[in-house]
Amino acid sequence: MKKACYKSTFAAKISINSMTEKEILRIAIQKSGRLSEDSIALFKECGIKFDVGKSKLMSPARNFDAEFLFLRDDDIPGYVEDGVADLGIVGKNVLVEYGKDVSVIKELGFSKCRLSLAVPREIDYQDATYFEGKNIATSYPNLLGQYLQSKNIKAHIHEISGSVEIAPGIGLAEGVCDIVSSGGTLLSNGLKEVEVIFKSEAVLVSNKKLSAAKEELLAKLLFRINAVQAAQAYKYILLNAPNDKLEEIINIIPGMKSPTVMPLAKEGWSSVHSVLKESDFWENIEAMRKAGAEGILVIPIEKMIL
Ligand code: ATP
Ligand code: ZN
């Protein structure tokens, strides 16, 4: 009931807007939960200013042609498919579970988790055939159904909407299929993870039929998201190197192009400036120190336009 109300409020406002105002991107993000904070941070890092408040359902951006809709994550794929929202951020798990017809624009690298099967700790689990004929509690009947089918296993899927992990303890099921990140919740409920059936992260999705004006706004937004993501993947480094070791040190740096090298006031020494990939960071720093680099400074990059 509440859901239908939201939808008609948005739809009514949108049809008024489309008659009277220029086109803006409507971006659906989770109102409150594990996707919210990083979704909001991403748009803020893209320089888009908007208000966020517990009671807010919508919030216009002050410096970008966009408006944010704050929703339950489960509703986001449907709203984007229907065109009530143009874009949305949602977990891949929810997207695939609901099977809505939207375009996946970009993987965003946050809210990483997996959907896993788990059984009581004391079970001597060998392989997935354990689940043959068993009851499995989950909030993801479609993803679980696809997995069981791919393994040719027939099991009874008990769809429940929350607190799945208590199902074995109360005798509802012999196993569960639930979202796991660290595994702590499973452990504290006497369960152990036995099969990973799906890996998820937050994705940016879009409606399949955006107008030319909205496509242009999306391209502008993507340019910013790419710059933010690139910056997060790299660090800026400055170091001092003896001139006779310069070549060796520079060869360690897999920077963007060639590093900047400037002579130091101290005879026979240079300052080297470059960028390093966060993923190879420690390995490269250690190799450079071994090769004779000194005074290494590492600075986060705010934006990076490649
Ligand atoms: P809503 O009230 O919006 O329906 P919810 O309770 O269904 O929220 P959350 O628990 O906030 O959902 O999770 C939202 C999404 O975040 C999940 O669909 C999943 O993609 C991801 N997620 C869930 N649990 C974790 C976790 N422990 N670590 C990282 N990401 C997670
Ligand atoms: Zn949800």
Side-chain angles (χ1 to χ4, degrees):
M1 191 60 204
K2 204 168 168 200
K3 257 192 333 205
C5 271
Y6 276 18
K7 205 158 186 165
S8 52
T9 310
F10 288 139
K13 175 132 197 300
I14 284 155
S15 67
I16 292 165
N17 278 350
S18 58
M19 285 186 288
T20 56
E21 291 168 18
K22 68 176 169 179
E23 291 197 74
I24 62 168
L25 276 183
R26 285 197 177 76
I27 307 172
I29 57 180
Q30 191 189 23
K31 185 169 171 54
S32 156
R34 292 182 188 269
L35 291 157
S36 312
E37 202 177 306
D38 287 335
S39 302
I40 292 166
L42 176 66
F43 293 110
K44 301 244 156 160
E45 280 159 15
C46 287
I48 300 175
K49 296 195 165 88
F50 60 101
D51 294 327
V52 184
K54 277 220 154 88
S55 58
K56 275 191 187 306
L57 292 181
M58 300 173 100
S59 175
R62 291 196 288 280
N63 57 352
F64 196 92
D65 291 332
E67 181 166 55
F68 291 86
L69 315 182
F70 303 104
L71 303 167
R72 282 200 62 203
D73 69 338
D74 310 66
D75 296 333
I76 291 176
Y79 276 89
V80 173
E81 183 185 60
D82 296 348
V84 173
D86 303 305
L87 302 181
I89 292 183
V90 68
K92 232 193 242 177
N93 52 323
V94 166
L95 185 66
V96 178
E97 177 63 28
Y98 285 90
K100 299 288 182 186
D101 192 23
V102 299
S103 304
V104 177
I105 304 289
K106 206 165 178 43
E107 296 188 335
L108 297 172
F110 58 82
S111 299
K112 285 193 175 174
C113 58
R114 51 195 190 270
L115 186 63
S116 293
L117 280 162
V119 298
R121 229 175 357 217
E122 60 280 7
I123 298 286
D124 178 23
Y125 181 89
Q126 301 297 328
D127 58 39
T129 56
Y130 163 82
F131 292 102
E132 185 68 45
K134 300 265 192 335
N135 296 298
I136 311 172
T138 189
S139 307
Y140 295 89
N142 291 326
L143 278 167
L144 176 58
Q146 283 166 24
Y147 172 83
L148 292 173
Q149 200 173 5
S150 76
K151 296 273 172 188
N152 221 359
I153 293 168
K154 292 201 170 39
H156 309 288
I157 299 175
H158 269 275
E159 185 180 351
I160 49 180
S161 61
S163 305
V164 169
E165 62 284 349
I166 65 164
I170 58 171
L172 186 68
E174 286 100 347
V176 303
C177 175
D178 202 8
I179 293 290
V180 182
S181 61
S182 67
T185 311
L186 289 181
L187 266 182
S188 60
N189 283 285
L191 301 173
K192 62 180 176 187
E193 184 178 6
V194 291
E195 306 285 347
V196 175
I197 73 161
F198 189 81
K199 288 198 172 139
S200 182
E201 65 181 277
V203 287
L204 179 69
V205 295
S206 102
N207 176 270
K208 285 204 157 165
K209 288 189 205 116
L210 292 185
S211 67
K214 289 187 180 193
E215 285 285 2
E216 213 170 289
L217 286 169
L218 172 58
K220 194 168 151 185
L221 178 65
L222 272 180
F223 177 78
R224 297 189 188 188
I225 292 177
N226 288 338
V228 168
Q229 284 193 331
Q232 283 165 351
Y234 288 89
K235 294 264 187 264
Y236 190 83
I237 61 156
L238 300 107
L239 58 89
N240 297 333
N243 288 346
D244 58 342
K245 299 283 184 182
L246 259 181
E247 204 179 319
E248 190 183 341
I249 290 172
I250 287 170
N251 281 335
I252 298 167
I253 307 174
M256 285 201 284
K257 284 196 183 120
S258 76
T260 307
V261 180
M262 286 181 287
L264 285 183
K266 189 173 166 188
E267 185 88 14
W269 282 76
S270 297
S271 165
V272 179
H273 299 202
S274 191
V275 292
L276 273 190
K277 244 195 167 150
E278 173 89 54
S279 51
D280 312 328
F281 179 75
W282 286 110
E283 225 166 89
N284 287 331
I285 293 280
E286 278 156 23
M288 282 187 276
R289 255 166 51 89
K290 250 188 215 149
E294 288 181 12
I296 305 174
L297 286 183
V298 181
I299 302 164
I301 301 170
E302 194 173 309
K303 305 281 185 305
M304 191 158 139
I305 318 297
L306 291 167

